[in-house]
Amino acid sequence: MFKDKHMVRKKKYNKRDIAHELGDVLSEARTLTGIIGIIFGFLLATTFSAQHLTSNETILLTAALVCSILSLGIFSLPILYHHLEFPYPDMKKFVRRFHRFIILGFIPFILTFLFAIYLALERLAEGHGYVGVILIAIILIIVYKMRKMKVPK
């Protein structure tokens, strides 16, 4: 029947599993750092090449740049933390902390993505760029909700 949250057995990890998970998290952080670095480069190039930006577009471009820098910093934290604290006294604690860094970094990452999509679609859609952002946000929410759905066999 229903299990009390205190009665649920936690999965036991051995050192090899934790080390493998730590390697996965570090490789995710490296990948996400590269992706957000490329997005930041495009946004920075846009600030120098864009002409006749409205005040709203300038504000959104600045917000996207700030969010991308913030995301880049947060995604870099697991790598820096790994190098600063390498002989780990408690490996599970470090893996949990790395996961939290990655999850926290997705907030400014998604904001950067949505701001950039809005800026790209605003001129193409003649003032209706928000429709594209709303559609993409809805798709992201649906995919997030579907991640735990079981696929029938």
Side-chain angles (χ1 to χ4, degrees):
M1 298 271 193
F2 296 105
K3 294 180 181 178
D4 187 20
K5 67 179 180 180
H6 300 291
M7 294 178 66
V8 176
R9 281 183 40 200
K10 293 186 177 180
K11 184 178 177 182
K12 300 218 179 203
Y13 290 102
N14 60 25
K15 287 184 180 185
R16 181 175 284 164
D17 291 338
I18 294 172
H20 181 65
E21 191 170 346
L22 180 65
D24 288 345
V25 173
L26 286 173
S27 66
E28 288 173 10
R30 285 189 296 265
T31 303
L32 291 169
T33 302
I35 291 170
I36 197 67
I38 291 169
I39 292 172
F40 174 74
F42 281 120
L43 290 171
L44 193 61
T46 302
T47 59
F48 291 116
S49 65
Q51 297 173 354
H52 310 294
L53 288 176
T54 65
S55 61
N56 287 340
E57 290 172 340
T58 305
I59 290 169
L60 283 174
L61 186 58
T62 305
L65 281 167
V66 168
C67 285
S68 65
I69 287 292
L70 186 63
S71 182
L72 186 64
I74 293 172
F75 286 149
S76 298
L77 284 177
I79 299 164
L80 293 172
Y81 197 64
H82 167 70
H83 287 291
L84 291 175
E85 300 285 332
F86 179 64
Y88 305 124
D90 183 10
M91 189 86 114
K92 290 180 195 174
K93 180 178 106 176
F94 284 97
V95 170
R96 281 193 308 262
R97 196 166 285 165
F98 287 175
H99 281 291
R100 287 187 194 131
F101 286 147
I102 298 294
I103 290 171
L104 183 64
F106 270 111
I107 296 167
F109 180 77
I110 291 171
L111 287 175
T112 300
F113 180 70
L114 293 176
F115 289 153
I117 294 295
Y118 177 80
L119 287 169
L121 294 178
E122 183 63 21
R123 297 264 171 122
L124 294 174
E126 298 176 1
H128 299 293
Y130 62 91
V131 174
V133 171
I134 291 171
L135 288 174
I136 290 172
I138 289 170
I139 290 169
L140 289 173
I141 291 169
I142 290 170
V143 168
Y144 178 76
K145 294 290 183 179
M146 289 177 58
R147 79 191 193 305
K148 291 203 174 185
M149 292 177 61
K150 292 184 179 181
V151 179
K153 292 184 180 182

